[in-house]
Amino acid sequence: MFPFFHQLFFLKMADEKNKGEFMKKENTAGLLSFLFMGLGQFYNHDWVSGIVLMLLEFMFIFAAVSGVIYNAFWGVITLGQTPGIQGDHSIFLLINGLVVIILFFLFFIIYYLNIKSAIASRKKIEELRLHTGTNFSAESILSHNYNKYFPHILMSPSFFLILFFTFLPILFTLLIAFTNFSAPYHLPPGNLVDWTGFDNFKKLFTLDGWKETFWGVLAWTLVWTITTTVLNYFGGLGLAVLINAKDIKFKKFWRTLLIVPYAIPAFISLLTFRLLLSGPGPLNSFLVNTGLTAEKIPFLSDHTLAKITVIVVYLWAGAPYWMALMSGVLTNISDSYYEAARIDGASNWQQLINITVPMVLFQTAPLLIMTFAHNFNNFTMIYLLADGNPQNPTYKQAGSTDILISWIYKMTLEKQWYGMAACVAIIIFICIAVIAIFSFKRTKSFKDEDMI
C-alpha cells in the first residue's frame, strides 16, 4: 500500500506544481495586458489581436496628449465661455464632448476585456499543453478567435449605430433638459447655453402658464391614448367577429372593403378629412344646403367637438388594422369551446365575453401595450388632422387637441424652447416606460403561462 500512497502523493504535488505554473503564466498575461493593451496577447502569440489592441491604446494616448479628451470634458462641463458669433458654440461642444466621452468609456471597457481575454487565452493554452502536450500555433489562435468572436464582429456595426444614433440622442436630450437652451437669449451661435439644474422642471410644474399647459395637455394625452386604444381594439374585434360569423355572405368582399382605410396612406386620408371637416368644407356645405343643420358645425374649431372628431377619425383609420389581426387570431380558437358553451346554454354574448375576448386578449396583449405606446406619441394623427387646434388662450404654445408630442414639436420648431421640450420628452419616456413595463409584467403571455 505504501508505494501506492507514495505515488499518489507525488502526483498530487506535480498537479499542484502545474497549477502554480499555470496561475503564474495567466497572471503574467494579465499583468502585461494591464501595463499596455496587447502585450498579453503577444505573450500568448495572438499577434492580430495584440496589434489591434496596441493601436487602440496608441490612439487613446494620442487623444489624451493632444488634449482631445480634456477639451471634451471641458466642453460638457462649461458649455463654452466665449460668447459671440466667432465664440464657443455650446451645443457643438456638448455633442462633440458626448461623443468623445462615450468613446472614452468604451475604451476602458475594451481595456478590461483585453486583460480578461489575455488571462482566458493563456488558461486555454496551458490546459491544451497539459492534456495533449502541444501548443496553440499562431494560426490556430487566429482561427479560434475568429470562430469565437465572429458573432461579435457581425454585431459590431449595429452596436455602434445604436450607440451613436439611438443612445447618444437620448443622452443629449436628457442633458438639454437641464440647460436654458432656448430662444432668444440662449440660442447659439452668438449666445451661450448654461446648466440650470432642475429649473426647467420647476417651471413646468409650478410656473403659471406652464403648469396649466402641462397638466391640461397631459390629461388630454391620457384620455386620447386610452380612448383610441380601447375603441380601435374592440372596434376591430367587433368587425372581425361579424365578418367571421357563419351567416355572413361575401366575406372576402367585406374584408377588402373594411381594410381600405388602413391601406390608404395616413397622410392622404388625414388631409382629406381635414378638408372635408373644415368650416367651409364639403360636409358643412352639404349639411347647410340640404337643411339638415341651420349653421355650420365646428368639427375642428370647437374645443370639445374637435377632440371627439380626432377620436372618431382615428377609429375609422385604426380599427381595420385590428380587424385584420383579429381575423387571424379568431381562426386559432377551437370550435370545441363554443360547442361546449352552446350545450351549456350560453348565449352568443356570453360566448363572446367568456371565450372570445379572453382568448384574443391572451394572444394580443403585447400588441395592445405597444399600440398604447404608439397612440401616446401619435403625432401624425393630431398634427395632420387638426394641427393641435383650436388654440387655447390659457396654454403656452399648445392647442386643445395637442398631445405631449405635438406640443414638443411646436415648442422646438416654432418657438425654439429646446430645454422645456426636452423636459416634456423625458416625462413622456418615463410615462410610457412605467406603463409598458407594468403592463407587460402583468400579462399572461409575458409570464409564459397557459391560457387554460
Side-chain angles (χ1 to χ4, degrees), residues 255-317:
R255 286 197 190 99
T256 304
L257 182 64
L258 292 173
I259 203 65
V260 167
Y262 180 73
I264 297 174
F267 182 83
I268 297 175
S269 59
L270 292 179
L271 291 182
T272 302
F273 268 107
R274 184 170 180 166
L275 175 64
L276 181 68
L277 298 172
S278 63
L283 181 59
N284 268 320
S285 298
F286 172 78
L287 293 175
V288 173
N289 292 335
T290 56
L292 295 175
T293 59
E295 56 185 17
K296 295 178 180 179
I297 300 174
F299 290 107
L300 299 175
S301 56
D302 179 77
H303 295 281
T304 302
L305 191 56
K307 293 179 178 180
I308 297 173
T309 300
V310 294
I311 291 174
V312 172
V313 171
Y314 189 43
L315 176 63
W316 175 86

Side-chain angles (χ1 to χ4, degrees), residues 152-228:
H152 302 81
I153 295 171
L154 289 181
M155 291 174 61
S156 57
S158 300
F159 169 77
F160 282 101
L161 288 174
I162 291 171
L163 187 64
F164 290 104
F165 291 96
T166 301
F167 178 73
L168 179 61
I170 292 173
L171 183 59
F172 175 75
T173 302
L174 177 66
L175 294 179
I176 286 296
F178 298 94
T179 69
N180 56 5
F181 182 26
S182 62
Y185 304 112
H186 300 282
L187 192 66
N191 299 296
L192 294 176
V193 176
D194 303 311
W195 294 109
T196 58
F198 289 91
D199 286 354
N200 290 330
F201 291 93
K202 292 178 182 177
K203 290 179 183 178
L204 197 62
F205 291 111
T206 61
L207 196 65
D208 289 341
W210 283 110
K211 65 179 181 181
E212 289 84 3
T213 307
F214 172 72
W215 292 116
V217 174
L218 177 61
W220 161 239
T221 302
L222 292 173
V223 171
W224 154 262
T225 305
I226 295 171
T227 304
T228 53

Side-chain angles (χ1 to χ4, degrees), residues 89-108:
H89 196 296
S90 300
I91 300 306
F92 289 170
L93 287 174
L94 180 59
I95 295 174
N96 294 337
L98 287 176
V99 171
V100 175
I101 289 172
I102 289 173
L103 292 175
F104 177 81
F105 285 106
L106 192 61
F107 169 80
F108 278 98

